[in-house]
Amino acid sequence: MMKLLKILAVAAVAMTMVVGCAKPSEGDFDALQAQSLAAWMDKNYPDWKTSGDWIEVDGVYIKWLRRVTESATDTIIKPGNWVRIDYTGKTLQNDVFYTRNAQVAKIQGTFNRRTHYVPDMVYLSEENTLMHSGTYEALTRMKVGEMVKVVMPSGRWSGADGYSSTNVGYNGQFGLDGNVPLVVDNLELLEVSADPIVQENKDISAYVKERWNMNPADSLSEGLYYQLMTPMPFKRDSVATDSTLTCYYKAYFLDGFVFDSNIDSVQMRAWGEIVNNGPLEWDMSDSSTSMIAGFKEACLEACYGDHFRTIFTSAWGYGISGSSATSTTISSSSDSDYDYSSYYNYLNYYNYMNSMYGYGSYGYGGYGYGNSYYNNYYNSAYYASLYASMYNQSSSSSSKEDEEEEAKVRISTEILPFTPLIFEIWVCANDGSQTTPDHNKE
């Protein structure tokens, strides 16, 4: 009789589990995943409770792979700063779904020549789409130079939404399914900055002094330098501000990585393919043209036939939010491929700018800093067009031209927040004629 009662009890428990699995609540699922993750930790890291290298915070497991103890001045970072971090995202089965390392990307087969494999720059705040709460738990316990491994349930990353491979900011990455626990491996805290604007200006000043033999007094505007290059035209004829400027250009970061160009030879050398053909034509009389401010400012100094270069801080470029990578098929009839992350990051970082520089208008100039230099940090033209394209896309039937556009792919390189940009520009002659610059012999 006792044996029969035990069997009935086991059956009752099993039935409860079956019923529970049929319609689990969110709380039940989170609890079950937490139990499963704890069991996984016990199996794979049996000494995690006693080794001294691990801590557990609300179901997030953090292991120190490298500690910094040399200096008493090295303190744990606090929310409200910007941090530069490097890491690789993996499943519990060691499958990589996200990496900032080019060699890892090559091994996993996701390497992309348009991707700039550098550490991430993010604002340390819980209210941030780029700062998952599990990563936040680790970083707020770390010092600069330390490295940790973080094991977390899906709810501390992206939950049921998962991690879309087309919306993570880096071309060529795999995605992560929803409700999947994960490992943030080799999370390294490389840099902390209370005001990255100051550091960015220092970086530019050092660059132009070493490479261009220029000083801050030589700047065209604060944070923007312009230098005419040889050979110079014998007689310079200025481009009228009500005319069309036609030019070729090469755009790159301080480390030399080319992120954009319309010169065939540059594209072939940088990416192995031509994705942007023909000269750029800019109607200088059209104030609504969506073009970054630094490029516009430098071109206003140009004359027909000039070859010049310009370097500027992110205030003249993509500002505090940067620019997400895009690699999607262009289609006027499809709204589903649009990357919303830049817009949401813009909203997150708006609070940061207000807290640091005082309140101003929402993306249209002024942040209480007493200087128009900072008006461009949200690149209002960029975000105005972004907002419009998100909420005002046409649903009309596609034309023949639209159908032809289906075959084209929009490709761009991600630009991180607070990233200075360099443009080398060849202005065409007054009649628009100029041989395409050839960089094959550089």
Side-chain angles (χ1 to χ4, degrees), residues 376-390:
N376 295 316
Y377 257 105
Y378 282 137
N379 198 342
S380 59
Y382 172 76
Y383 284 104
S385 61
L386 176 64
Y387 186 90
S389 62
M390 284 167 53

Side-chain angles (χ1 to χ4, degrees), residues 24 48 94 97 115 132 140 146 154 164 175 180 259 273 295 302 314-315 358 364 376 391:
W48 76 267
N94 247 0
F97 66 85
T115 299
H132 302 95
T140 50
E146 292 190 331
S154 60
S164 170
V180 174
F259 67 87
E273 61 178 341
F295 187 93
S314 61
Y364 292 93
N376 295 316
Y391 294 107

Side-chain angles (χ1 to χ4, degrees), residues 226-296:
Y226 171 96
Q227 187 176 69
L228 192 62
M229 301 180 69
T230 56
M232 302 179 188
F234 180 73
K235 181 181 179 180
R236 300 184 70 216
D237 182 12
S238 298
V239 180
T241 57
D242 61 350
S243 61
T244 297
L245 181 142
T246 305
C247 67
Y248 289 92
Y249 65 91
K250 178 176 71 171
Y252 50 101
F253 302 128
L254 297 188
D255 63 2
F257 185 94
V258 176
F259 67 87
D260 193 14
S261 179
N262 62 350
I263 303 172
D264 293 357
S265 57
V266 173
Q267 296 177 69
M268 289 301 298
R269 291 185 59 189
W271 315 314
E273 61 178 341
I274 296 174
V275 298
N276 186 8
N277 202 3
L280 170 70
E281 295 185 353
W282 170 34
D283 182 357
M284 299 175 71
S285 64
D286 185 359
S287 60
S288 65
T289 302
S290 181
M291 189 178 294
I292 55 175
F295 187 93
K296 285 184 177 181

Side-chain angles (χ1 to χ4, degrees), residues 34-327:
Q35 293 172 13
S36 298
L37 194 56
W40 184 89
M41 286 293 300
D42 290 339
K43 178 180 179 181
N44 291 273
Y45 300 98
D47 64 339
W48 76 267
K49 295 178 182 177
T50 59
S51 69
D53 292 329
W54 287 91
I55 64 170
E56 184 265 330
V57 184
D58 296 332
V60 176
Y61 303 85
I62 306 169
K63 179 184 181 180
W64 266 258
L65 305 176
R66 183 201 304 143
R67 291 184 183 271
V68 171
T69 57
E70 290 82 359
S71 173
T73 60
D74 294 317
T75 58
I76 295 174
I77 61 174
K78 300 184 182 301
N81 289 334
W82 283 79
V83 294
R84 197 176 299 279
I85 57 176
D86 199 3
Y87 66 94
T88 295
K90 301 178 179 179
T91 65
L92 299 187
Q93 292 74 38
N94 247 0
D95 294 325
V96 174
F97 66 85
Y98 184 79
T99 183
R100 291 279 180 180
N101 187 298
Q103 295 305 314
V104 173
K106 288 178 180 178
I107 292 172
Q108 72 172 147
T110 63
F111 179 79
N112 188 300
R113 290 173 69 172
R114 295 299 304 272
T115 299
H116 193 210
Y117 290 93
V118 293
D120 204 354
M121 183 74 166
V122 292
Y123 184 47
L124 187 61
S125 169
E126 290 180 293
E127 301 300 325
N128 189 327
T129 60
L130 291 182
M131 182 62 66
H132 302 95
S133 64
T135 309
Y136 177 86
E137 293 286 6
L139 288 172
T140 50
R141 290 167 172 79
M142 295 174 63
K143 302 176 183 178
V144 174
E146 292 190 331
M147 179 186 291
V148 301
K149 178 196 294 285
V150 189
V151 181
M152 67 182 81
S154 60
R156 303 304 296 273
W157 186 261
S158 296
D161 294 333
Y163 202 53
S164 170
S165 60
T166 62
N167 208 30
V168 298
Y170 254 28
N171 289 328
Q173 297 287 299
F174 292 135
L176 179 71
D177 292 336
N179 296 325
V180 174
L182 62 133
V183 178
V184 175
D185 205 11
N186 295 330
L187 173 61
E188 184 175 13
L189 178 56
L190 300 169
E191 178 188 342
V192 176
S193 179
D195 190 347
I197 295 172
V198 174
Q199 184 59 49
E200 188 184 358
N201 278 278
K202 288 181 179 178
D203 292 342
I204 281 222
S205 297
Y207 186 96
V208 297
K209 182 177 182 179
E210 178 183 351
R211 307 285 185 92
W212 298 7
N213 194 30
M214 298 179 75
N215 295 302
D218 302 317
S219 63
L220 186 64
S221 296
E222 185 177 359
L224 187 150
Y225 295 80
Y226 171 96
Q227 187 176 69
L228 192 62
M229 301 180 69
T230 56
M232 302 179 188
F234 180 73
K235 181 181 179 180
R236 300 184 70 216
D237 182 12
S238 298
V239 180
T241 57
D242 61 350
S243 61
T244 297
L245 181 142
T246 305
C247 67
Y248 289 92
Y249 65 91
K250 178 176 71 171
Y252 50 101
F253 302 128
L254 297 188
D255 63 2
F257 185 94
V258 176
F259 67 87
D260 193 14
S261 179
N262 62 350
I263 303 172
D264 293 357
S265 57
V266 173
Q267 296 177 69
M268 289 301 298
R269 291 185 59 189
W271 315 314
E273 61 178 341
I274 296 174
V275 298
N276 186 8
N277 202 3
L280 170 70
E281 295 185 353
W282 170 34
D283 182 357
M284 299 175 71
S285 64
D286 185 359
S287 60
S288 65
T289 302
S290 181
M291 189 178 294
I292 55 175
F295 187 93
K296 285 184 177 181
E297 192 78 8
C299 285
L300 291 175
E301 300 292 317
C303 291
Y304 290 112
D306 274 0
H307 174 203
F308 68 91
R309 59 188 177 185
T310 179
I311 182 173
F312 44 83
T313 60
S314 61
W316 297 96
Y318 290 97
I320 195 171
S321 299
S323 177
S324 294
T326 56
S327 182

